[in-house]
Amino acid sequence: MPEQVIQAAKHTIQPRITKVAEDQFERTKKKGEVFTPAWICNLMNNQCDEEWFGRKDVFNIPDGQFWTVTPPPVIFPKKKTWKHYVDSRRLEITCGEAPYLVSRYDASTGEYIPPYHRIGILDRKIRVVNENTKTFEDWFKWVLRSFQSVYGYEYQGDNLLIARVNLLLTFTEYYTERWQKEPEEKEILKIANVIAWNLWQMDGLKDTVPFGKPYEEFQQLSLYGIFAEEESSEVEAVPCRIYDWRKDNSMLFMNIKKEGQ
């Protein structure tokens, strides 16, 4: 419930950089958390875009731990348009606070990054939308499609909430910068609904909701070398569902991998 989240945020739900060093170390040791600096996220996102565009330095030019933003507009290759780029689907696995999707701040230092200098996958899509739309209707339509095209899953509930907050605040910041006003509630709710579907809590080893049916570390072999039937459990595994916004239907995440997509 909202009041529980607000209460927890005072003590527990905080970006990693605001936690004391001891807490950060414990999270890294016990939960395997690694928070990647923005300059590394930028290099990896640049590599993805180099593959998509067929050339280097499309959105910025890296220089050590810094980067210089390329002047607008972004030029697209033959047979590909800015709409193709916006609709291209990307997934950040074990996303933590989602530094590859949005870069409101450097996850390793906490330093705020202005919108113009951001390097996240969604940030790049919104830049393209800003450069290619003139009316509010077109802008909102394609920003919404940008959000529908990015996905991320995370095991830890507090990190997931922060990731969702980062995406929602990213929307409000770009909205305010472009239109010099706050977004309306109906617009926020549309974006929030997409975020709630596209950033979800999942055990990435099993593609299920965390704390469902536990993994069996050992399986008993029968005399014939065949795995014995699994004992029934009161806690059943719950497979995670995501949404395909272009087809307008939900599906099991594990089925996507089975289909080799």
Side-chain angles (χ1 to χ4, degrees):
M1 301 299 291
E3 58 270 17
Q4 293 171 309
V5 172
I6 293 171
Q7 183 64 27
K10 298 178 181 178
H11 308 287
T12 307
I13 305 175
Q14 302 171 351
R16 180 175 187 266
I17 194 61
T18 65
K19 295 182 174 73
V20 297
E22 182 179 354
D23 289 343
Q24 292 184 33
F25 176 76
E26 285 300 308
R27 295 278 292 205
T28 299
K29 184 173 70 171
K30 292 183 178 181
K31 305 181 186 302
E33 289 186 349
V34 178
F35 286 77
T36 312
W39 67 273
I40 294 181
C41 294
N42 182 49
L43 290 177
M44 296 180 72
N45 284 346
N46 281 359
Q47 181 66 40
C48 291
D49 281 330
E50 182 178 342
E51 293 288 335
W52 198 90
F53 280 86
R55 69 177 191 275
K56 298 179 63 174
D57 304 334
V58 175
F59 289 91
N60 61 70
I61 301 172
D63 182 14
Q65 297 187 13
F66 304 93
W67 57 88
T68 302
V69 178
T70 57
V74 172
I75 305 300
F76 287 84
K78 293 181 179 179
K79 298 183 179 180
K80 289 184 177 180
T81 70
W82 67 271
K83 294 180 180 179
H84 292 141
Y85 183 76
V86 169
D87 276 340
S88 60
R89 283 177 284 195
R90 312 290 172 87
L91 167 68
E92 181 179 358
I93 63 173
T94 58
C95 66
E97 298 173 16
Y100 287 91
L101 297 182
V102 291
S103 57
R104 298 184 57 250
Y105 54 86
D106 190 315
S108 65
T109 66
E111 181 180 358
Y112 177 77
I113 302 176
Y116 179 74
H117 290 279
R118 294 180 185 176
I119 52 81
I121 294 170
L122 183 59
D123 297 309
R124 297 168 188 234
K125 289 173 179 282
I126 296 178
R127 170 183 168 174
V128 167
V129 173
N130 276 333
E131 292 176 356
N132 290 277
T133 58
K134 296 181 179 180
T135 67
F136 172 79
E137 289 73 21
D138 277 347
W139 183 88
F140 185 79
K141 170 186 174 181
W142 285 99
V143 165
L144 182 62
R145 289 176 75 105
S146 297
F147 276 83
Q148 291 172 342
S149 72
V150 295
Y151 297 81
Y153 67 80
E154 166 62 24
Y155 188 95
Q156 302 297 333
D158 55 346
N159 285 344
L160 175 65
L161 181 60
I162 293 171
R164 288 174 167 178
V165 168
N166 279 333
L167 263 72
L168 188 60
L169 289 178
T170 292
F171 167 70
T172 62
E173 288 164 350
Y174 281 111
Y175 187 109
T176 303
E177 182 182 65
R178 175 68 186 266
W179 304 106
Q180 300 301 304
K181 63 177 183 178
E182 296 290 329
E184 297 181 8
E185 182 179 3
K186 63 180 181 180
E187 295 158 351
I188 293 176
L189 290 176
K190 283 186 178 181
I191 297 293
N193 180 54
V194 173
I195 294 172
W197 269 105
N198 284 27
L199 271 76
W200 74 98
Q201 190 172 14
M202 185 173 76
D203 181 336
L205 297 177
K206 296 183 288 183
D207 300 335
T208 60
V209 175
F211 312 117
K213 185 176 181 180
Y215 252 152
E216 293 188 24
E217 295 185 9
F218 305 98
Q219 288 184 299
Q220 180 63 48
L221 287 172
S222 73
L223 291 174
Y224 302 98
I226 303 173
F227 285 113
E229 293 184 3
E230 293 184 0
E231 295 182 1
S232 62
S233 173
E234 294 181 0
V235 182
E236 294 296 329
V238 181
C240 290
R241 302 189 71 88
I242 62 171
Y243 208 84
D244 184 339
W245 301 95
R246 301 284 77 82
K247 294 182 180 178
D248 195 22
N249 68 274
S250 67
M251 65 189 71
L252 294 179
F253 178 76
M254 61 178 62
N255 287 348
I256 296 177
K257 296 197 295 185
K258 289 179 181 177
E259 294 168 3
Q261 297 182 12

